[in-house]
Amino acid sequence: MLKKLIESLIGDGEGPFLKSISRCLDSKHLDLVRACLITVTWLSSSLSTLFGAGLPLPTFSSIISQLKGILEDGELELKALASLSLLNFSKISGSPFLAPCFVCLKSCHFLKLLKTVTFKMLKGEKV
């Protein structure tokens, strides 16, 4: 059932869902960007789990580019979500994004970032 839902959302990659996500990631409203990043993290996780191989990926290049931009300029929580999304995309077998995602993750010190966010959340601090 989840697989059919994801297939209907992403379609051929040109549908309104992915275009809306892309526009949302460009928003100046941090709460909206955060909500979209959570959606992208869920989507990328589901794609990597359900479609580990054989998925003809639609064009995610604009979203991947936006995620990389968030890593450079975003708040800590947004950077953690973007990093996790990129990591999930990189797990998709045969993904054309495999190498760029790992290069990006290495350059932003993903594990250190995730550790920092986790500790702040556990302490109840704003991330």
Side-chain angles (χ1 to χ4, degrees):
M1 181 105 174
L2 181 59
K3 189 173 181 175
K4 290 192 183 291
L5 171 64
I6 291 171
E7 288 173 340
S8 69
L9 288 174
I10 61 174
D12 62 359
E14 298 296 325
F17 177 74
L18 290 180
K19 287 180 182 178
S20 294
I21 290 292
S22 183
R23 282 193 305 269
C24 173
L25 290 173
D26 281 338
S27 175
K28 300 296 181 208
H29 302 282
L30 293 181
D31 288 338
L32 186 58
V33 174
R34 184 178 293 108
C36 284
L37 279 170
I38 291 168
T39 302
V40 171
T41 303
W42 167 81
L43 178 63
S44 62
S45 175
S46 297
L47 287 171
S48 68
T49 302
L50 295 174
F51 300 97
L55 173 69
L57 285 175
T59 306
F60 283 102
S61 59
S62 65
I63 291 175
I64 297 287
S65 177
Q66 289 170 298
L67 293 172
K68 290 178 182 179
I70 290 169
L71 289 179
E72 295 172 6
D73 302 323
E75 292 183 356
L76 189 59
E77 181 184 16
L78 302 183
K79 286 181 178 184
L81 289 167
S83 296
L84 191 53
S85 296
L86 288 168
L87 180 63
N88 290 335
F89 277 122
S90 73
K91 291 179 182 178
I92 298 171
S93 180
S95 170
F97 309 115
L98 185 64
C101 288
F102 276 124
V103 168
C104 191
L105 290 174
K106 287 179 184 176
S107 69
C108 75
H109 309 289
F110 172 71
L111 294 176
K112 182 178 177 186
L113 178 67
L114 194 55
K115 177 183 166 187
T116 303
V117 170
T118 303
F119 282 132
K120 284 187 176 220
M121 292 172 105
L122 288 173
K123 289 180 180 179
E125 296 176 11
K126 183 172 172 64
V127 288

